[in-house]
Every structure is written in C-alpha cells, then in structure tokens.
Amino acid sequence: MGLSTRGTDFTNAAMAVVETAVKHDVKVIVNAGDLLDISRPSSNKIEELQSIDEALSYNGITMLTISGNHDKSYPSWVDVAKLDNIINIDNKVVDIKGISFAGVPYMPTPQLKATINALSGGDCLVTHCAVKEFIGFESSSAILLEELPTSKFQAILLGDIHIHEYMEVNGCYVGYPGSIELCSRKEDKQKYVSIFEWDKEHNLSRESVPIGSRKIVELRIFTDDDMEAALAELTRVADEDPIVYIHYAYGIKEIVPRAKRVLSSDSIVKPLPIPGTHRDFIDYKETIEIPELAGPRDFIYNYFKEENELHELASKCCSPGAVPGVEIANYVANKLNQSTIIADE
Ligand SMILES: [Mn+2]
C-alpha cells in the first residue's frame, strides 16, 4: 500500500506474530517469503526489521525466511542488515531444535519443480509459489498440488497467496498462513498464523490461531441518515485508528472530511462510489412515469383522429405485417362497391 500511515501496520502485525509465538511457547517462526514488499527497502524498513529482530532476540525466538517474488535480492536484505535472529535460508537446509527446514526461494515454476524434486526430504519444506488447488483459477505459472513432494516432508509451508488455508496430502500439511495484515480490501479481514507442534514421537499437529490486526470498518451510505449513523459508529471506534472503507451513493457530500473530523489523524478513510447510484434514484419524492416512445400508429393517429373515416384504414396500415398498398386497394374497392350499390338503388 502506498500510504505512509500504513508503514508501521506491518511491523505491528509482525510484533503481533512474535507476541503470539511467546504466548504459545513457539521457538521458531517461519516466514515463507515476501517479508518485505520491496526488493530495495528504505532505511526505515530496515530499522523496522531491526526492531522485530530485537523482539525476537529478547524472547529467544528464531525467524526463518526465504526470498519471495517481491523481496528477492542477492544478497538478501536479511543478510545485509546483519540481523541476529532473522535468518535467510534460501537454498539451505537448517536444523533447529531437532526440526529440519529446507528453504527454496521464489523462482520460475519449471526451475522450482526441478529444485523441489531433487530434495531428499525432511521435516519442513519452505517455499514461495502459487499452487493451483489453492488459487482456484487457471494459471500457467501455478504448480499442481501433486507436483509438491508431499511424501518426503511432514509440512510444506508456502508463501505468496493471501489466504489462510491448509490441506493434508499423504499425511503432509500443505498450505498458506495468509498475510498478517490486510493488503487488499478483498482479503479476509481476520488474519491467522498456524502453529505446528511436534510431539515426543515426532508426530506433527497444526492449529490456526487468529492474530489481531488493524481494525477495518466497511460502511455503505445511501442517505444523509446513513451518513449520520456512520459518523456515530466511527466516533465509537475512533480510538482504534481504523481503516474505513465508505461505499457511498453519488450525491452524498463531504464524505471524507466529515469522517475525518470524528477520527484520529492515524485513521485512513477510503471513499468508494457505489456504481450505478444517483441521488435522484435513491431519494426520490415521487414516481415519474416515463412515456413509451411513440410508434407509427401514434404518428398516424395525429392526422386521422378517431372521428375521421380514414382512421380505421390508417390503423390497418400500421398493423404489424400489413401491406399498406393492399389495405388501400381494398379500401378503395369497398368504397367503389358501396357507391355502385347506392347508384343501383
Ligand atoms: Mn509473493
């Protein structure tokens, strides 16, 4: 997101993950790529990484990470920033507290397939890619679930897709934890981490744990009354510095300034016009009948009113499928016939 006020949201979210790890006595945090959203981080970003690193050191937790498509660089920024407890494991297998982690960074799909196939196996494979069965649509760059080495690992920990979802294949957990902060409005607003635990027999279990993230408020405004109600709701949650999406019907005025007046300066307000709305259609006072477009019959009737003896002929000529020439000839023949009868009399 290009909003400066969101910059620390991701650090806060990372801190929430560390807090969750402390609370659940977790010793290793795995980030499966795109720890940063850019491959050329600012000094501020590096400082944020350092503050996360300090929190990890303080709590005796190690974070393993690999390079994703958004933050890949060589050497990795994680190595360059000389962080003690955040360790890049691109193309490495590390063993921490008796659990092995194989790190395969983001790479083009054919290369990825070859790389993961060549692995001898272990406890966890950490990689960054889109798996077709999880994305739910065709993508030429996605890898198939059956192409993952599920028989060689206990868990395949993936990054890239912002959904929280896991499948069990051949007794191997495969899945994505999802993003830890809202990156797009279409994402699920509740964020989770997965906690994996090995028992004494080295059996693995998994649990989804919700994590707190920045409050999101979504409002729909059709009338001024809706706007008043929305402002009352925003006043109630102002302390939480929410991100507010306001869907509004065209014609409602001053949405953003009115919302900002009741919120803190750290809040974010995003106005989103509701397509196809117009104040006149929403707040109408009376129903207006829209007259049907006049057809040839209406046009002809202006010239041949009902009292006119040609009205019926004109009407016939306008009927669908009528052949006006034939109608007129018949009319004339009838008229002549009538005159003959009159003459005979
Ligand atoms: Mn990615």
Side-chain angles (χ1 to χ4, degrees):
M1 278 209 172
L3 294 158
S4 59
T5 41
R6 291 228 59 192
T8 54
D9 282 5
F10 295 90
T11 310
N12 294 343
M15 291 300 190
V17 173
V18 177
E19 273 170 36
T20 305
V22 172
K23 205 160 83 186
H24 288 82
D25 200 26
V26 166
K27 294 297 170 209
V28 180
I29 296 174
V30 176
N31 168 280
D34 289 345
L35 179 63
L36 299 166
D37 55 357
I38 31 172
S39 56
R40 295 178 180 198
S42 63
S43 52
N44 281 349
K45 279 274 174 206
I46 296 295
E47 207 179 343
E48 284 172 35
L49 274 186
Q50 287 169 338
S51 66
I52 296 165
D53 187 49
E54 271 170 39
L56 292 168
S57 302
Y58 181 81
N59 291 292
I61 298 169
T62 303
M63 184 190 288
L64 303 178
T65 186
I66 56 167
S67 298
N69 52 325
H70 286 106
D71 64 356
K72 74 173 178 288
S73 64
Y74 189 82
S76 153
W77 283 102
V78 168
D79 292 335
V80 175
K82 293 195 183 356
L83 305 163
D84 294 327
N85 287 53
I86 305 179
I87 300 166
N88 178 289
I89 58 163
D90 283 356
N91 306 308
K92 287 186 188 109
V93 177
V94 296
D95 196 292
I96 299 183
K97 298 189 187 291
I99 310 294
S100 72
F101 298 87
V104 178
Y106 168 80
M107 58 183 73
T109 311
Q111 197 185 338
L112 177 72
K113 286 181 197 174
T115 305
I116 57 179
N117 266 319
L119 294 168
S120 55
D123 297 316
C124 296
L125 165 62
V126 184
T127 192
H128 192 92
C129 63
V131 175
K132 187 187 166 259
E133 284 80 353
F134 287 88
I135 56 176
F137 55 85
E138 288 298 324
S139 165
S140 55
S141 62
I143 190 167
L144 300 175
L145 198 55
E146 63 180 36
E147 293 172 312
L148 292 171
T150 47
S151 54
K152 290 195 250 172
F153 291 90
Q154 280 190 292
I156 298 181
L157 309 176
L158 301 168
D160 201 24
I161 304 177
H162 295 184
I163 54 162
H164 180 78
E165 194 182 338
Y166 288 83
M167 296 183 192
E168 262 188 84
V169 187
N170 299 327
C172 170
Y173 291 101
V174 184
Y176 298 86
S179 57
I180 54 170
E181 250 305 329
L182 195 75
C183 298
S184 129
R185 195 172 55 77
K186 295 188 174 69
E187 283 178 19
D188 216 339
K189 287 172 187 64
Q190 179 61 58
K191 300 300 177 193
Y192 299 89
V193 289
S194 280
I195 296 186
F196 290 89
E197 193 177 351
W198 279 264
D199 66 13
K200 292 209 167 62
E201 281 75 47
H202 210 77
N203 292 315
L204 181 60
S205 61
R206 191 195 72 83
E207 184 192 353
S208 292
V209 177
I211 53 164
S213 54
R214 187 149 168 182
K215 187 172 183 70
I216 307 288
V217 180
E218 203 144 2
L219 301 165
R220 296 181 78 79
I221 313 282
F222 286 100
T223 64
D224 280 323
D225 285 347
D226 292 345
M227 188 65 195
E228 290 307 323
L231 291 173
E233 188 184 339
L234 293 182
T235 307
R236 275 195 299 276
V237 298
D239 285 351
E240 296 173 72
D241 302 331
I243 295 171
V244 184
Y245 293 101
I246 305 183
H247 303 264
Y248 70 98
Y250 284 107
I252 307 284
K253 299 275 190 290
E254 306 276 291
I255 306 256
V256 176
R258 286 162 80 190
K260 283 197 164 169
R261 227 168 283 146
V262 301
L263 292 166
S264 68
S265 58
D266 283 338
S267 302
I268 294 167
V269 180
K270 293 200 131 204
L272 302 160
I274 299 171
T277 60
H278 187 279
R279 182 56 168 250
D280 291 347
F281 282 90
I282 299 308
D283 206 10
Y284 63 86
K285 300 278 186 292
E286 60 188 50
T287 309
I288 300 158
E289 293 284 342
I290 299 170
E292 279 181 49
L293 277 178
R297 195 184 292 267
D298 302 286
F299 179 78
I300 296 282
Y301 283 6
N302 275 334
Y303 293 90
F304 307 102
K305 310 270 187 211
E306 251 176 294
E307 57 276 15
N308 189 318
E309 61 169 336
L310 290 173
H311 179 85
E312 200 192 331
L313 172 63
S315 175
K316 277 184 183 163
C317 288
C318 291
S319 303
V323 181
V326 173
E327 296 298 338
I328 292 166
N330 286 340
Y331 176 81
V332 172
N334 270 331
K335 278 282 166 194
L336 287 173
N337 193 23
Q338 272 174 22
S339 340
T340 319
I341 294 163
I342 292 163
D344 288 350
E345 281 171 354

